[in-house]
Amino acid sequence: DIPTKNAGLERCHAFMTLGARVAVTAVGRQEENRGVDVFIERGQLSPVLRPFFGASRIDIGELTEIAGTPTRGALASVALRVVGSPMGAMRHPSGIPKDDIALSNAIFAIRLEKQRR
C-alpha cells in the first residue's frame, strides 16, 4: 500500500503474464476478467500472495541471468524469502490464537523474461 493503496498489486499486475495472473487469482482467461481492478480484488484473497501482505521482511537472493536466443528474450531468476508478520504468527488462518509464536517463512522463485517486441 505504499505509495498508494494497492500499489503493490498494481505493480504485480503490470509485471505478470496472463498465465501468472490466472494462476494467482483463478480468473482472467475471459477478456472482462483481465483488468487491474479484478486482479486487485482477487489478489487480496489469493493464498499465493498472502505471505507478502504485512511481511516483516523480504530477503532477495542472488540474481541469475540467461542470455536471450533468436526465439526468446533474456531470462532472469531470483529467489525471495518472505518472513511473515508477527500479527500473522499469533493466529492460525482460521483466526484461532496459536500456542507458539513463530514467524512464517515462504520461499518464492521469481522469473522475468525480456519480451522480444
Side-chain angles (χ1 to χ4, degrees):
D1 286 346
I2 295 173
T4 60
K5 184 170 174 53
N6 297 320
L9 287 170
E10 289 174 6
R11 206 168 297 125
C12 286
H13 182 269
F15 274 93
M16 288 182 172
T17 62
L18 176 60
R21 290 181 200 146
V22 171
V24 167
T25 63
V27 297
R29 290 281 178 213
Q30 302 83 9
E31 189 72 37
E32 63 272 10
N33 290 331
R34 293 186 186 172
V36 69
D37 35 334
V38 173
F39 181 82
I40 288 170
E41 178 185 327
R42 297 295 297 237
Q44 291 172 342
L45 305 173
S46 173
V48 176
L49 297 177
R50 178 71 49 204
F52 289 95
F53 299 142
S56 62
R57 191 175 78 237
I58 298 175
D59 298 327
I60 301 172
E62 186 177 330
L63 178 73
T64 335
E65 295 180 73
I66 300 172
T69 68
T71 57
R72 65 151 175 79
L75 300 174
S77 296
V78 66
L80 297 180
R81 184 170 154 264
V82 181
V83 179
S85 97
M87 292 303 293
M90 294 168 45
R91 297 192 174 274
H92 291 284
S94 65
I96 298 172
K98 291 183 178 181
D99 293 332
D100 60 333
I101 298 175
L103 296 180
S104 63
N105 283 296
I107 297 176
F108 293 86
I110 306 296
R111 293 189 179 84
L112 300 170
E113 179 178 350
K114 184 176 183 180
Q115 297 294 312
R116 300 183 56 85
R117 296 180 194 196

